[in-house]
Amino acid sequence: KLMDDYEFIKPLGKGSLGSASCYKDKHTDELVAIKCLPKDTTNFQREVVNQSVVSGHPNIVEIKRLNISEKNYYIVLGYEPNGNLCSYVSKNGWLQELPARFFIYHILCGISFCHSKNIVHGDVKLDNVILSENLVPKLCDFGYSRWLQDEEKRQRAGTLQYIAPEVIIKNYGDERKIDVYAAGVCLYTMLHGCYPFEGKNDIDTMRKILQNDYVFKRKDLSNTCIDIIKKMLDPDQEKRLTIQQVFDHPWIHEDPHLETWISYPELSQ
């Protein structure tokens, strides 16, 4: 049995599709995260297959092992000790441009690799970005991922505050741009400590998204930072930046050290 090989350490969290806990491998002492999903989980096959295709990229959580019991599916994943980016931002209140740029660049590297394999993540958000020991971000939770050109009927899923306007009106178009939009929400949220679109209720939030009704509350953001966010959150999908255009944007190039695999001292303060 799979669980005979592991010693329980602590729970990590519970989502809409299942729960995850930290375990220690009894043979190697390696810490892993084990995600447990009921067998009636409709997205399981999609999650495992799609994440397996992109597993191994430095900005994507690695699948190490898979097991099926009578009632559950178990996915053994690489364990990252610093929790998710949402908790990190909440603890710090908001981030300066330097660490926000570091995080969003590597998040986009993970998304770009998914797209190169014809997979859209479909649920990019700070909660689904795990931080490694040196605070390198890694995408996780591929339960809503899809193959590009998938004929299967798409359903609106994910956290409302990250959803692009075309998802609300069910005119999906280029689904890679939906991941770009969600990454734009991530960037805004890191810099402000709140979502760009937050209404009194879900209907009001959808109205704000459809009307592109948001403001920059911080007055110290650079013009290039404001520009990249506006272009990532453009409600017109055709005008919205592609991932390559995000990589080419001047704001990204204001830091020459983004591609080095070290964390900035400022990130841990």
Side-chain angles (χ1 to χ4, degrees):
K1 292 182 179 181
L2 172 78
M3 303 313 291
D4 291 341
D5 294 333
Y6 297 96
E7 175 187 345
F8 176 81
I9 302 297
K10 62 180 180 179
L12 296 176
K14 190 171 185 179
S16 58
L17 302 180
S19 60
S21 298
C22 176
Y23 287 80
K24 183 171 70 173
D25 190 311
K26 293 179 181 178
H27 306 290
T28 66
D29 287 338
E30 178 188 20
L31 293 178
V32 298
I34 299 182
K35 189 171 184 178
C36 175
L37 299 171
K39 267 196 170 179
D40 59 358
T41 303
T42 56
N43 292 347
F44 170 77
Q45 185 173 1
R46 179 188 304 159
E47 174 168 4
V48 171
V49 171
N50 290 352
Q51 189 166 352
S52 296
V53 169
V54 296
S55 181
H57 186 277
N59 294 121
I60 295 171
V61 172
E62 178 186 8
I63 289 185
K64 293 180 172 290
R65 189 173 171 185
L66 177 66
N67 188 263
I68 303 174
S69 71
E70 184 178 343
K71 295 182 179 180
N72 298 310
Y73 297 113
Y74 296 94
I75 311 171
V76 181
L77 303 160
Y79 173 71
E80 305 299 346
N82 283 310
N84 65 47
L85 188 49
C86 182
S87 297
Y88 182 86
V89 172
S90 296
K91 183 174 68 175
N92 288 276
W94 46 266
L95 305 182
Q96 295 289 359
E97 289 185 38
L98 178 70
R101 185 187 291 112
F102 173 83
F103 286 134
I104 201 63
Y105 174 82
H106 291 295
I107 291 169
L108 287 163
C109 285
I111 295 172
S112 179
F113 185 72
C114 292
H115 293 180
S116 74
K117 301 297 183 181
N118 292 317
I119 292 169
V120 289
H121 185 279
D123 195 20
V124 175
K125 58 182 179 180
L126 296 183
D127 311 69
N128 288 341
V129 178
I130 304 298
L131 300 178
S132 73
E133 187 172 5
N134 60 347
L135 295 178
V136 173
K138 300 190 176 191
L139 285 173
C140 66
D141 199 340
F142 281 70
Y144 293 118
S145 62
R146 291 168 56 84
W147 288 95
L148 282 170
Q149 315 303 327
D150 193 341
E151 297 292 331
E152 181 184 352
K153 184 178 179 182
R154 198 187 196 285
Q155 295 181 338
R156 182 170 70 82
T159 302
L160 177 59
Q161 286 80 1
Y162 290 87
I163 289 176
E166 59 266 28
V167 177
I168 294 175
I169 64 174
K170 299 182 178 180
N171 183 21
Y172 302 104
D174 182 352
E175 295 191 44
R176 295 170 296 185
K177 294 282 192 80
I178 295 172
D179 281 349
V180 171
Y181 186 93
V185 175
C186 289
L187 178 54
Y188 179 101
T189 304
M190 283 190 284
L191 292 165
H192 288 82
C194 62
Y195 299 123
F197 307 103
E198 186 75 89
K200 299 174 183 177
N201 50 49
D202 286 353
I203 298 298
D204 192 36
T205 297
M206 284 191 281
R207 177 193 63 79
K208 286 177 176 287
I209 292 170
L210 292 171
Q211 295 179 359
N212 202 32
D213 180 9
Y214 71 100
V215 296
F216 290 93
K217 300 177 182 179
R218 286 180 60 180
K219 305 304 180 185
D220 61 334
L221 296 179
S222 66
N223 290 335
T224 51
C225 180
I226 291 172
D227 183 71
I228 195 172
I229 293 173
K230 284 182 175 180
K231 290 176 177 176
M232 292 175 75
L233 294 181
D234 195 314
D236 186 335
Q237 192 186 78
E238 291 188 3
K239 295 179 181 177
R240 191 179 308 149
L241 296 181
T242 64
I243 281 195
Q244 187 56 53
Q245 288 171 330
V246 176
F247 285 139
D248 292 339
H249 192 278
W251 184 74
I252 294 292
H253 293 280
E254 287 175 17
D255 184 350
H257 304 296
L258 281 176
E259 295 186 16
T260 57
W261 289 100
I262 58 172
S263 61
Y264 291 102
E266 292 89 342
L267 297 182
S268 57
Q269 293 179 354

